[in-house]
Amino acid sequence: MKEKVFEYAVGDSWLLSLQNHRAVYTVKDCFFRETDGKEIYEVEIDGTTVQRLTRNRLHFLLYRYLFKKLKTGKYQKYSSALSADAIRKYYANLRWQEEQRAERVNDLLDSSREYQEIKGEISSLSLKLAKAEYSGADTYEIAKIKTALETAKKKRLSVLSRLGIAPEDLKKKVYCAKCGDTGYTPDGKECACVKVHECEIREYAGAEKCRAKS
């Protein structure tokens, strides 16, 4: 991703008039906050206190209360690209969540006697059908087995419905086939899905940072 330039420069200084009180606001430092994708400015007020303001907040103050600009500072660049660590952790968590979901589904199915019985019946009928077709059984016999198999499969759907499980829940979900939910394609390049999930990745990175501090 190309570098960007901070909207405000380190050293920029303005005189603001707020509620009949004038104060000098000076940008002392700035940085890009990866966790939410925002430009952050450390602004000194009247040479005493320092506040951290987002670009939008600083822009609002200048738009609403600017009396005059006092000095222009030096502009700096930054990269807004997501770090490889943030990408890997987000997708690792995505895969872990899917594994947990699949495990919960399997535990529920394993505990259902009704499901296990219909599962066994389907398996038995499928094997019986394969043998009948291989041995060249008559058409009537094959049709009879197929009918029984279809009935069993419909019964399985009914059982799944009562358990609150959709048929697609039985398969492992892969949200991005290009990268296999890793964030990177086989050639090592950042997958297009990373851009789609950029906000979620930044939010997860921020949550990880908070957990690490606690």
Side-chain angles (χ1 to χ4, degrees):
M1 185 178 293
K2 292 182 179 181
E3 285 188 324
K4 294 183 178 181
V5 178
F6 282 96
E7 184 169 345
Y8 299 103
V10 173
D12 274 353
S13 188
W14 309 271
L15 182 62
L16 274 64
S17 181
L18 302 92
Q19 300 176 347
N20 299 321
H21 169 72
R22 290 183 178 178
V24 176
Y25 278 56
T26 304
V27 176
K28 306 300 289 185
D29 198 6
C30 58
F31 62 92
F32 177 73
R33 191 163 64 192
E34 183 183 14
T35 53
D36 56 8
K38 292 182 179 180
E39 293 179 13
I40 304 298
Y41 296 87
E42 293 186 349
V43 179
E44 184 182 76
I45 303 172
D46 278 344
T48 56
T49 61
V50 176
Q51 290 185 5
R52 283 190 173 181
L53 304 174
T54 63
R55 177 181 57 187
N56 287 346
R57 179 58 181 168
L58 180 55
H59 181 76
F60 169 78
L61 290 173
L62 294 174
Y63 174 78
R64 183 70 176 81
Y65 303 108
L66 178 64
F67 181 74
K68 67 176 179 178
K69 186 166 186 177
L70 302 176
K71 187 172 60 175
T72 297
K74 184 177 180 180
Y75 287 94
Q76 298 184 19
K77 295 180 179 180
Y78 68 93
S79 172
S80 61
L82 290 163
S83 69
D85 185 58
I87 294 172
R88 285 195 297 268
K89 286 183 176 180
Y90 171 79
Y91 281 96
N93 180 65
L94 192 68
R95 296 192 304 274
W96 181 80
Q97 292 287 351
E98 173 55 24
E99 289 172 1
Q100 293 297 301
R101 183 205 64 80
E103 188 174 320
R104 287 193 297 271
V105 170
N106 289 331
D107 287 345
L108 184 57
L109 295 178
D110 289 343
S111 65
S112 172
R113 182 177 178 180
E114 187 179 18
Y115 180 81
Q116 292 303 318
E117 287 178 351
I118 195 62
K119 179 182 176 183
E121 183 180 346
I122 290 173
S123 179
S124 177
L125 286 169
S126 296
L127 180 59
K128 188 176 181 180
L129 177 61
K131 288 181 177 180
E133 290 178 332
Y134 178 77
S135 63
D138 64 76
T139 305
Y140 174 78
E141 181 63 23
I142 291 176
K144 184 178 178 181
I145 298 173
K146 284 184 176 180
T147 299
L149 182 58
E150 288 302 312
T151 299
K153 287 181 178 180
K154 289 179 181 179
K155 185 177 179 181
R156 179 177 62 183
L157 289 175
S158 180
V159 173
L160 287 173
S161 179
R162 285 197 293 275
L163 293 173
I165 300 173
E168 56 269 23
D169 291 338
L170 300 177
K171 297 180 180 179
K172 181 180 178 181
K173 295 179 181 178
V174 178
Y175 297 93
C176 181
K178 290 183 178 179
C179 69
D181 296 338
T182 64
Y184 293 92
T185 54
D187 59 3
K189 294 182 179 180
E190 188 177 292
C191 186
C193 67
V194 171
K195 185 64 178 177
V196 176
H197 295 292
E198 182 175 347
C199 290
E200 292 92 332
I201 294 172
R202 293 193 188 281
E203 288 176 3
Y204 183 75
E208 280 282 287
K209 189 174 182 180
C210 289
R211 283 194 288 269
K213 288 181 179 180
S214 60

